[in-house]
Amino acid sequence: MLKFSAQYFIKQLNLAEHPEGGYYISSFRATDELAVRDVQRPIYTSIYFLLRSQDISHLHRLQSDELWYYHAGSPLTVHMIFPDGTYEAKKLGLNVEAGEVPQIAVPKNTIFGSSVEDSESFSLVGCMVAPGFDFADFELFTQEELLADYPQHEGVIRKMTYKTIK
């Protein structure tokens, strides 16, 4: 079996740094559009997203649903704070007997981020957003902002946020 590295996928897929952390590239964009919040958006968009164990996908929120699909590497933990304030962590991976799942849905308006817990590793996933992603619908949070609203999740917020937005 071939063993690939994070750097292999970053180079071969031409991935660029993502503002939330990790690396990405747009892989698909629907040609059909629909009106969403008074603007036209593609029906869906999709990216490749790679996160190394030394990286964090910082807590952020989208105004559309996002589906995550596991592709390669170690499992990826997706941390979610739902609009009602509850927290859940799900593992994206192929070891279903250990509770991992090969795909995860993150509902719109959920605050979420991700991390790779295996040291010296990475996770390559696909993310599809419907209606399609636009940076105008992307919110990145600081620790201070989230701690004010969700103090009960202090541990994960301190781990998964910037102290100040870069």
Side-chain angles (χ1 to χ4, degrees):
M1 184 169 141
L2 297 173
K3 181 162 172 89
F4 298 106
S5 67
Q7 196 55 42
Y8 170 84
F9 286 113
I10 291 168
K11 181 180 178 186
Q12 295 300 316
L13 296 174
N14 198 29
L15 304 179
E17 289 187 35
H18 196 292
E20 79 194 42
Y23 298 84
Y24 81 110
I25 191 166
S26 177
S27 55
F28 296 102
R29 185 177 195 84
T31 54
D32 292 335
E33 294 186 340
L34 68 159
V36 178
R37 295 175 293 279
D38 297 325
V39 294
Q40 289 297 115
R41 293 274 194 268
I43 293 172
Y44 69 88
T45 56
S46 187
I47 64 169
Y48 287 118
F49 181 69
L50 184 140
L51 197 64
R52 301 173 304 174
S53 55
Q54 66 265 35
D55 301 322
I56 295 288
S57 166
H58 292 81
L59 292 172
H60 60 287
R61 177 170 48 204
L62 301 180
Q63 294 180 30
S64 297
D65 295 335
E66 184 167 31
L67 293 172
W68 290 59
Y69 303 93
Y70 175 82
H71 291 309
S74 293
L76 182 77
T77 302
V78 180
H79 305 268
M80 297 176 279
I81 301 173
F82 295 98
D84 69 359
T86 59
Y87 168 80
E88 183 177 11
K90 287 189 175 181
K91 282 218 179 207
L92 190 62
L94 298 179
N95 189 349
V96 293
E97 290 177 1
E100 297 172 9
V101 292
Q103 66 183 34
I104 293 172
V106 177
K108 67 181 179 180
N109 299 317
T110 298
I111 296 167
F112 68 104
S114 58
S115 60
V116 177
E117 294 171 19
D118 292 349
S119 63
E120 301 300 316
S121 190
F122 71 94
S123 184
L124 175 66
V125 300
C127 302
M128 186 188 80
V129 176
F133 177 82
D134 189 294
F135 271 106
D137 297 337
F138 175 83
E139 295 175 84
L140 193 59
F141 297 97
T142 64
Q143 288 179 5
E144 183 179 336
E145 290 170 320
L146 292 179
L147 287 172
D149 292 334
Y150 307 103
Q152 70 273 31
H153 304 307
E154 181 177 2
V156 74
I157 288 170
R158 290 200 184 280
K159 175 185 173 187
M160 302 293 300
T161 53
Y162 292 113
K163 290 184 180 177
T164 59
I165 301 295
K166 292 184 174 185

